[in-house]
Amino acid sequence: MPTRRAFLPSLASALLAPAVARGAAPAGLLADRVEVRKRERVMELWNGELLLYRFRVALGRRPEGHKIKEGDGRTPEGRYELVEFLPRSYFYKAIRISYPNAEDRRRARELGVRPGGDILIHGLDPAIKKQFRNEHWLFNWTRGCIAVTDEEMDTVWASVAPGTPIDIRP
């Protein structure tokens, strides 16, 4: 059974990091990649070597390890792409991630399970927004997705394009 201790050292560093590196991105400059570091609860948008934005994120309810099957509550790990922009979502706005990829499908087939899908970067659940708005990232409440505030989702939405690669790391 995974413990919460694995997240404690990185949680301290995340507390000290800015929620968003505001003003870092020149107007109109799009990210050419997105990086997520699950232990740190951080998502960064990059253009080359220039960090455009850094966001604190909430993850799936079981963040340790790679997503194996539908319903396991894990956020996947690996290289994917941002593939679909959903302007209306229960979670404000959402961007679909290309999980499962061929390797994920192969692994699930070997295990005799369904890999799941519908992994998104999205805004806040309305219930979370009411109680924990800016502290949403302090606990894991998604079903495997990556969540930011609605205002941050607007920034992500405006800063990436379909096909942008996303690397999700432990």
Side-chain angles (χ1 to χ4, degrees):
M1 175 93 177
T3 67
R4 291 184 185 182
R5 290 180 190 226
F7 281 91
L8 291 179
S10 55
L11 184 58
S13 64
L15 284 168
L16 300 174
V20 179
R22 296 195 189 278
L29 187 61
L30 291 180
D32 61 10
R33 74 184 185 283
V34 176
E35 294 182 8
V36 175
R37 292 187 306 279
K38 291 170 35 173
R39 279 190 200 101
E40 295 175 47
R41 296 173 183 259
V42 167
M43 178 173 66
E44 296 174 337
L45 278 58
W46 291 86
N47 182 290
E49 297 302 312
L50 177 64
L51 173 62
L52 302 177
Y53 298 99
R54 176 179 290 134
F55 306 98
R56 296 174 179 151
V57 297
L59 301 166
R61 67 185 180 278
R62 292 186 59 212
E64 298 92 353
H66 180 59
K67 183 167 192 60
I68 301 296
K69 63 180 184 174
E70 185 174 57
D72 65 9
R74 292 183 174 165
T75 302
E77 296 172 0
R79 175 160 264 215
Y80 302 95
E81 290 184 356
L82 305 181
V83 292
E84 184 181 4
F85 286 58
L86 306 167
R88 287 180 285 287
S89 163
Y90 179 77
F91 303 105
Y92 182 59
K93 291 179 182 174
I95 301 173
R96 189 175 315 279
I97 296 171
S98 64
Y99 175 87
N101 62 24
E103 177 63 21
D104 299 318
R105 287 189 295 277
R106 182 199 58 76
R107 184 182 306 112
R109 208 172 26 255
E110 287 177 359
L111 295 171
V113 297
R114 294 173 51 165
D118 210 23
I119 302 297
L120 311 165
I121 299 171
H122 61 67
L124 296 180
D125 178 310
I128 299 290
K129 191 182 318 188
K130 287 180 185 176
Q131 293 185 352
F132 301 104
R133 180 186 176 87
N134 292 321
E135 291 80 28
H136 75 96
W137 61 276
L138 289 173
F139 57 99
N140 300 308
W141 55 269
T142 78
R143 294 183 179 160
C145 297
I146 300 162
V148 295
T149 68
D150 293 354
E151 294 80 10
E152 292 167 341
M153 190 64 213
D154 285 335
T155 300
V156 174
W157 188 271
S159 301
V160 296
T164 301
I166 178 169
D167 289 308
I168 305 172
R169 300 178 183 156

